[in-house]
Amino acid sequence: MAKLDQVKNKDILEMINQNDENLKKLHDIVRKSFEEEKLIVDNLINPTDEYLNRGQLISDKVARFGGSWSFILIFTGILIVWVLFNTLMIKQARFDPYPFILMNLVLSCLAALQAPIIMMSQNRQEEKDRKRAENDYLVNLKAELEIRSLHKKIDVLLEEEIKQLFDSQVNHLKLLKQLTDHVDSLEKELKNKNVQP
């Protein structure tokens, strides 16, 4: 019986040690995945600050105003006043008569200046969009790493569980063999006792 208790205690200790090893493997996988992802999280939480010089700030404001309904309404109002003034006033007060050559020159100059300013703002916005796309890529990469980490954890758990099941079956078979041997020896002893009166 003492042998049987020792075998049981040994089996229990082996199972506890295996569980400890499994936990260590899982912790190592989690730690490794967090170390790999730390840089990704840092990049997403602390994006690089954008420092704009005075020209860039002005181009952003011009582009913002040039693409608004306020600009369209104000500019339409100015054009209507310009045309009405130069058609309805007496000839001496008109500064740009009917073909409105001066108005065309002003519109051309405005378009020529406004276009590059808007392009500068759009180029900077394109750079921001590129950085956002990089951040989206990093988020997707982080999600992929999380999924891989989970797959590794599940694989380790399954491997260890199968190994534990196999080991426990081997131990149970050993115990059964020991029990059958013990029962056989007891039966022999009983037969020997019954034979010798």
Side-chain angles (χ1 to χ4, degrees):
M1 284 302 238
K3 266 188 172 181
L4 195 59
D5 288 336
Q6 288 176 350
V7 170
K8 285 181 188 177
N9 289 339
K10 185 179 175 185
D11 291 338
I12 291 170
L13 289 174
E14 283 180 16
M15 287 183 188
I16 290 172
N17 288 336
Q18 284 179 345
N19 286 335
D20 288 344
E21 288 175 22
N22 292 344
L23 287 174
K24 285 179 186 176
K25 286 181 184 178
L26 289 175
H27 285 292
D28 288 342
I29 291 170
V30 170
R31 183 183 44 76
K32 184 179 176 185
S33 67
F34 276 122
E35 286 172 358
E36 290 172 354
E37 296 167 7
K38 185 178 181 203
L39 293 175
I40 294 170
V41 173
D42 286 346
N43 288 342
L44 293 176
I45 291 174
N46 304 316
T48 55
D49 293 332
E50 184 179 25
Y51 296 105
L52 301 177
N53 61 29
R54 189 177 186 140
Q56 291 171 328
L57 289 171
I58 291 171
S59 70
D60 282 348
K61 288 179 182 177
V62 168
R64 195 175 306 118
F65 179 69
S68 69
W69 279 105
S70 301
F71 173 77
I72 293 171
L73 294 174
I74 291 170
F75 200 68
T76 303
I78 291 171
L79 289 178
I80 290 171
V81 168
W82 186 302
V83 170
L84 289 176
F85 183 83
N86 285 303
T87 54
L88 299 178
M89 290 304 272
I90 57 172
K91 285 196 179 206
Q92 289 83 10
R94 295 180 196 170
F95 59 90
D96 189 20
Y98 167 64
F100 307 119
I101 296 171
L102 182 61
M103 184 177 73
N104 284 326
L105 178 65
V106 169
L107 290 176
S108 297
C109 288
L110 180 68
L113 291 174
Q114 193 179 20
I117 291 172
I118 291 172
M119 289 293 288
M120 286 189 292
S121 180
Q122 285 178 341
N123 288 341
R124 211 168 27 270
Q125 186 62 40
E126 187 177 309
E127 182 66 21
K128 286 180 189 176
D129 291 343
R130 187 186 63 76
K131 287 180 181 177
R132 279 192 198 113
E134 285 177 1
N135 281 345
D136 289 343
Y137 170 75
L138 291 175
V139 168
N140 291 337
L141 182 63
K142 181 178 183 285
E144 182 180 340
L145 289 173
E146 286 288 335
I147 291 169
R148 285 185 181 185
S149 174
L150 288 173
H151 278 290
K152 285 181 184 178
K153 290 175 195 174
I154 290 171
D155 289 344
V156 167
L157 284 174
L158 287 175
E159 283 179 20
E160 293 303 321
E161 194 170 319
I162 289 170
K163 184 180 175 193
Q164 283 179 352
L165 285 173
F166 182 74
D167 289 344
S168 67
Q169 283 181 341
V170 167
N171 289 335
H172 286 131
L173 288 174
K174 285 179 184 177
L175 287 173
L176 282 173
K177 176 123 176 62
Q178 288 176 354
L179 285 173
T180 54
D181 290 344
H182 188 66
V183 168
D184 288 343
S185 66
L186 288 176
E187 285 179 354
K188 285 181 184 178
E189 285 180 23
L190 280 175
K191 282 185 183 178
N192 287 340
K193 285 183 183 179
N194 287 339
V195 171
Q196 297 173 355

